[in-house]
Amino acid sequence: EPEVTQTPSHQVTQMGQEVILRCVPISNHLYFYWYRQILGQKVEFLVSFYNNEISEKSEIFDDQFSVERPDGSNFTLKIRSTKLEDSAMYFCASFTPDGTYEQYFGPGTRLTVT
Amino acid sequence: GEDVEQSLFLSVREGDSSVINCTYTDSSSTYLYWYKQEPGAGLQLLTYIFSNMDMKQDQRLTVLLNKKDKHLSLRIADTQTGDSAIYFCAEGGSSASKIIFGSGTRLSIRP
């Protein structure tokens, strides 16, 4: 069964550093998403991406965040200058309108900012 | 704004039915989902229901939707130890839209 993959599974970084979280969506999918889950809290939508541009973003997705699909395969989330409160599990998801109505989620990257 | 609420914990005896309840606020929600998250794992879609349906059954899972009250429930029949997980209720406006998640209900199974 096709799956979304994410790397790394765990990233530790110091406050103020830049991090890039990587995702490989399912190959024929057209819509891509990032969500995050701070420990013990809800899964929150960050951003959706379609046709090589952001289609929607949440209030959380400020200027510190950016997304890119650099090579038609990977989908990345960059945090320019990490803050302690960016520590969370980050989930990538992908979707295509093939009648299944399912956004497929990756296993997540746990980001720890120290 | 959009919000999804669910109780945080549920404990059931193995073999009994589990019922997890959820309420949502967005009356324009088209899709309502139940996701399962096992420890250390990602989010697995269990089932979904369209807002124009009242009920959907899929093997041991039954989803009931009361659109008037914006209430969604997930019933798991014959609950097994492998059903221990966090269950997230979620809603979306269209199939490609962002998904709004509840806080998750942690289901624990006692012998």
Side-chain angles (χ1 to χ4, degrees):
Chain A
E1 186 175 319
E3 59 180 12
V4 176
T5 59
Q6 292 185 242
T7 53
S9 56
H10 190 191
Q11 172 91 48
V12 182
T13 190
Q14 288 191 325
M15 198 166 52
Q17 296 295 304
E18 174 184 285
V19 293
I20 298 176
L21 309 183
R22 300 180 194 280
C23 168
V24 179
I26 294 172
S27 62
N28 63 336
H29 281 196
L30 301 176
Y31 295 79
F32 314 106
Y33 312 82
W34 284 100
Y35 294 81
R36 79 171 186 192
Q37 184 182 28
I38 295 171
L39 188 64
Q41 297 187 24
K42 292 186 180 190
V43 177
E44 302 171 290
F45 167 77
L46 292 179
V47 65
S48 58
F49 191 86
Y50 171 72
N51 201 26
N52 282 319
E53 60 183 25
I54 290 173
S55 46
E56 188 175 1
K57 59 184 181 179
S58 71
E59 294 171 351
I60 304 165
F61 194 88
D62 62 21
D63 293 344
Q64 293 296 317
F65 292 88
S66 62
V67 289
E68 200 176 33
R69 188 153 160 82
D71 56 11
S73 171
N74 292 281
F75 180 52
T76 61
L77 175 70
K78 182 193 289 187
I79 310 174
R80 261 181 269 285
S81 176
T82 50
K83 302 190 274 281
L84 293 176
E85 53 265 36
D86 294 327
S87 295
M89 182 73 92
Y90 288 81
F91 292 105
C92 173
S94 71
F95 166 80
T96 203
D98 61 358
T100 59
Y101 308 104
E102 179 172 358
Q103 284 185 23
Y104 289 81
F105 282 77
T109 292
R110 180 166 295 286
L111 176 65
T112 302
V113 183
T114 61
Chain B
E2 305 136 327
D3 197 18
V4 178
E5 295 291 336
Q6 51 185 128
S7 53
L8 293 180
F9 300 100
L10 178 66
S11 176
V12 298
R13 192 174 302 163
E14 189 175 1
D16 286 353
S17 291
S18 306
V19 179
I20 303 171
N21 294 299
C22 165
T23 56
Y24 61 98
T25 58
D26 188 357
S27 56
S28 66
S29 297
T30 305
Y31 298 85
L32 294 140
Y33 306 92
W34 285 102
Y35 280 83
K36 178 182 181 183
Q37 184 181 36
E38 295 182 82
L43 296 159
Q44 174 198 357
L45 179 67
L46 278 181
T47 188
Y48 63 89
I49 188 169
F50 296 116
S51 59
N52 61 358
M53 296 168 66
D54 298 323
M55 186 182 91
K56 182 177 180 182
Q57 186 148 6
D58 184 1
Q59 300 181 340
R60 292 192 297 125
L61 305 178
T62 303
V63 178
L64 295 177
L65 174 61
N66 181 328
K67 196 173 178 184
K68 175 175 162 289
D69 295 338
K70 300 192 189 71
H71 183 268
L72 185 73
S73 68
L74 173 70
R75 179 176 178 270
I76 305 172
D78 186 26
T79 311
Q80 303 297 308
T81 54
D83 295 324
S84 292
I86 300 175
Y87 291 81
F88 290 93
C89 174
E91 59 94 4
S94 73
S95 55
S97 294
K98 66 184 180 190
I99 294 176
I100 305 298
F101 288 86
S103 301
T105 298
R106 183 178 295 276
L107 176 64
S108 60
I109 317 302
R110 55 185 194 274

